[in-house]
């Protein structure tokens, strides 16, 4: 019996292990939707309210499962809406396949409706990018798209003229298109460093007196190896945001995250170290790394292009982090001098005491740190936490400790807003028995808030914690601290998110008193189905850097003097916070 080209596409995806596609129907993909309808027992179609959410969900599916994420959009604007989520996948190295529709093949380029040549639009975002040229073409490029996305950990894109989707596939149309000549064999594992490179790397690490390990997303799953190496070298483990789950935050070796959202001990050890091992990270903010020439460098990465990208590296080890660390461990000598690590551990005790003080502050208006701290206490050991971008990521990075079996993620290098809810939804679909939380700001959530209705439709028990301060907080503070200007254009018109939740058929709760925070979160976690927890917090609480420079302090003071409209409240908040910390 003959099959359509769209059915061949769906069957091929199923052969590659795809069991879920995120997308939105449209007349440019009618043939593909029909193929999905006939094969809904094999592949589940998750209908979203906006294609950007579909791409974010495909990226999160890849991040949380390690499998290929797939999203689907119609021609023209549908495909264009995918781009933000696809760039999130590209910049964070996640395997995602995007499938888009196109107009009738013989009308492309004639200014017909939705005449956007999406293969040209997607040239930068995709490692594999092809237009279907005929019914017999689809099997070949579908296999290659899946293989390329997984092999190169990037975005693949297939765009499919609508009339070709319904075309019957009977036999190849050219003599060179031999049936089934494609393969599902691909290089799933990266290469392995040579013994010579491992010896050189071990020599550098053994020669260091103050060694620091910087762990990123590539080090996820290598917690045991990282801690063994840290113990042997007496080395603190600093974590990039995407590496938050690489070792638990109760590990005696970690100083937590680095950067503007990081910890003071992390910054101090990088300022003092003489040797740096970068494990699976291309942390972009080089101003927080050691000064060139200060430290000898060793880097482990699956992608050879990333070796030496951020810091001058003496030895590059191209390979998968866990396996490379295992090979390196027997070559590394036990260091007797533990003073560098012990000094760091004392600093972390002070830091965690400060985080607890901020997280248990009972003053009003309620501080955002209180909500984050209480969330960290109530999360299950197997919880999956998806943070949005903005000031919300500061509270997540510092106040929500990562436990050993938890998964944590955020839009990393793209740092896009609006990813939090789609990430949590994808996580809940992949792991229906785990606690999945979206920790978001009111600015980011409102961009794709209609996806809460998707949660209700698919009965996803995602808990959405919205830190509501009615402002684009990160931008506001950057305008003041980095530019020395008063805030401008950052205020948000308030939305009653608890009422919105009820309108969507979900549960809505509100917290505005720190004394009720624990009970309200507990009620939310005990409530079946999706829940929004709207936390009304102090809009003048600043996400201060871990170490404030004189230049930052001067620009902050200058912004207040130039006419910051809320300068009295901001000054009072900052001063009172500092007094509490001193006390």
């Amino acid at each position: 019996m003959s099959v359509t080209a769209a059915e061949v596409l769906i069957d091929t995806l199923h052969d590659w292990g795809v069991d879920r596609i995120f997308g939105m129907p449209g007349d440019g993909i009618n043939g593909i939707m029909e193929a999905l309808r006939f094969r809904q027992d094999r592949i589940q179609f998750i209908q979203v309210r906006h294609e950007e959410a579909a791409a974010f969900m495909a990226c999160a599916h890849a991040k949380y499962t390690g499998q290929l994420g797939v999203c689907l959009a119609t021609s023209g604007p549908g495909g264009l809406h995918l781009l933000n989520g696809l760039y999130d996948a590209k910049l964070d190295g996640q395997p995602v396949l995007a499938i888009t529709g196109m107009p009738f093949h013989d009308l492309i380029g004639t200014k017909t409706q939705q005449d956007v040549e999406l293969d040209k639009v997607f040239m930068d975002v995709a490692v594999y990018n092809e237009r279907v040229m005929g019914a017999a073409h689809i099997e070949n490029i579908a296999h290659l798209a899946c293989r390329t996305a997984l092999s190169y950990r990037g975005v693949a894109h297939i765009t499919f003229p609508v009339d070709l989707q319904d075309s019957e596939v009977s036999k190849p149309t050219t003599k060179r298109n031999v049936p089934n000549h494609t393969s599902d064999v691909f290089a799933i594992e990266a290469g392995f460093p040579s013994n010579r490179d491992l010896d050189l790397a071990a020599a550098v690490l053994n020669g260091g007196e103050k060694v620091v390990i910087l762990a990123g997303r590539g080090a996820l799953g290598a917690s045991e190896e990282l801690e063994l190496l840290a113990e042997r070298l007496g080395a603190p483990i600093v974590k990039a945001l995407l590496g938050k789950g690489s070792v638990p935050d109760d590990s005696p070796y970690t100083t937590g995250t680095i950067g503007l959202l990081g910890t003071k001990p992390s910054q101090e050890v990088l300022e003092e170290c003489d040797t740096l091992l970068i494990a699976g990270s291309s942390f972009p903010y080089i101003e927080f790394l050691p000064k060139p020439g200060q430290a000898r460098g060793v880097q482990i990465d699956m992608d050879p292009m990333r070796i030496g990208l951020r810091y001058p590296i003496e030895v590059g080890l191209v390979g998968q982090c866990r396996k490379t660390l295992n090979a390196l461990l027997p070559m590394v000598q036990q260091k007797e001098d533990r003073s560098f690590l012990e000094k760091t551990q004392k600093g972390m005790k002070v830091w965690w005491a400060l985080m607890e003080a901020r997280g248990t502050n009972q003053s009003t208006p309620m501080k955002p740190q209180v909500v984050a701290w209480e969330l960290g206490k109530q999360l299950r050991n197997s919880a999956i936490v998806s943070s949005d971008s903005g000031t919300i990521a500061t509270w997540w990075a510092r106040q929500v400790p990562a436990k050993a079996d938890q998964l944590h993620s955020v839009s990393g290098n793209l740092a896009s807003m609006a990813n939090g809810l789609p990430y949590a939804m994808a996580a809940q679909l992949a792991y229906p028995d785990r606690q999945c939380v979206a920790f978001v700001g009111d600015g980011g959530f409102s961009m794709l808030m209609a996806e809460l209705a998707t949660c209700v439709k698919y009965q996803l028990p995602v808990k959405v914690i919205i830190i509501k301060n009615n402002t684009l907080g990160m931008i506001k503070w950057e305008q003041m601290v980095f530019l020395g200007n008063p805030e401008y254009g950052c205020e948000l018109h308030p939305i009653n998110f608890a009422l919105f939740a009820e309108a969507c058929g979900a549960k809505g709760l509100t917290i505005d008193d720190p004394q009720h925070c624990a009970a309200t979160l507990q009620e939310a976690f005990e409530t079946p189905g999706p829940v929004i927890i709207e936390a009304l917090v102090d809009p003048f609480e600043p996400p201060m850097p871990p170490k404030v420079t004189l230049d930052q302090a001067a620009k902050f003071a200058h912004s207040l003097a130039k006419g910051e409209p809320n300068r009295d409240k901001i000054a009072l908040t900052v001063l009172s916070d500092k007094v509490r910390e001193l006390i």
Side-chain angles (χ1 to χ4, degrees), residues 7-41:
E7 289 173 327
V8 170
L9 170 63
I10 301 306
D11 289 341
T12 303
L13 296 183
H14 183 260
D15 289 344
W16 278 89
V18 174
D19 57 10
R20 187 173 297 118
I21 293 177
F22 308 97
M24 191 171 181
D27 58 8
I29 51 171
N30 277 340
I32 299 173
M33 291 302 301
E34 183 68 358
L36 283 168
R37 183 175 74 85
F38 272 110
R39 286 157 170 74
Q40 57 188 290
D41 59 330

Side-chain angles (χ1 to χ4, degrees), residues 241-263:
L241 274 187
L242 289 177
K244 181 177 171 72
S246 59
V247 293
D249 278 311
D250 61 2
S251 167
Y253 304 103
T254 188
T255 57
T257 51
I258 184 61
L260 284 173
L261 284 59
T263 73

Side-chain angles (χ1 to χ4, degrees), residues 354 357-358 361 363-365 367 369 538 540-542 556 567-583:
L354 175 59
R358 291 178 179 175
N361 185 343
S363 66
T364 55
K367 304 298 184 184
Q369 296 97 317
D538 185 356
F540 306 114
E541 180 68 15
F556 181 61
R567 60 182 177 270
D568 293 337
K569 293 179 180 178
I570 290 171
L572 182 62
T573 298
V574 174
L575 180 62
S576 62
D577 286 351
K578 182 55 66 177
V579 169
R580 285 193 192 93
E581 290 170 17
L582 290 174
I583 293 174

Side-chain angles (χ1 to χ4, degrees), residues 63 91-94 153 189-190 213-226 237-247 277-283 299-303 306 317-326 408-409 413:
K63 281 186 174 183
L91 268 62
D92 284 353
Q94 298 303 316
R153 299 195 62 79
E189 297 291 349
I213 301 168
L214 172 60
R217 65 174 173 82
L220 297 177
S223 179
E224 182 180 352
E225 290 76 15
L226 286 170
I237 302 171
V238 174
K239 299 186 289 185
L241 274 187
L242 289 177
K244 181 177 171 72
S246 59
V247 293
L277 169 62
I278 303 175
S281 176
S282 57
F283 176 75
Q299 185 172 354
I300 304 169
D301 207 290
M302 291 176 63
D303 185 354
R306 294 180 184 269
L317 303 176
V318 179
Q320 197 261 357
C321 263
R322 186 163 182 256
K323 290 186 175 181
T324 303
L325 288 170
N326 266 320
H408 290 255
S409 198
N413 276 5

Side-chain angles (χ1 to χ4, degrees), residues 442-491:
D442 48 355
F445 176 76
S446 60
M447 290 181 173
L448 289 173
M449 60 194 287
E451 298 306 334
L452 184 67
T454 307
C455 274
V456 176
K457 175 178 180 177
Y458 292 100
Q459 300 180 341
L460 304 178
V462 171
K463 311 308 177 194
V464 185
I465 299 168
I466 304 173
I467 301 298
K468 180 180 174 181
N469 55 12
N470 300 318
T471 187
L472 297 172
M474 184 63 77
I475 306 304
K476 174 173 77 175
W477 292 105
E478 286 177 344
Q479 288 175 350
M480 287 189 282
V481 174
F482 295 121
L483 300 177
N485 294 329
E487 62 176 281
Y488 180 73
C490 298
E491 297 310 302

Side-chain angles (χ1 to χ4, degrees), residues 369-393:
Q369 296 97 317
V370 173
V371 185
W373 186 258
E374 187 58 41
L375 171 64
K377 289 166 61 178
Q378 294 198 23
L379 286 171
R380 296 176 193 163
N381 291 340
S382 61
I384 303 175
V385 184
S386 302
S387 173
D388 220 310
S389 297
T391 51
I392 191 72

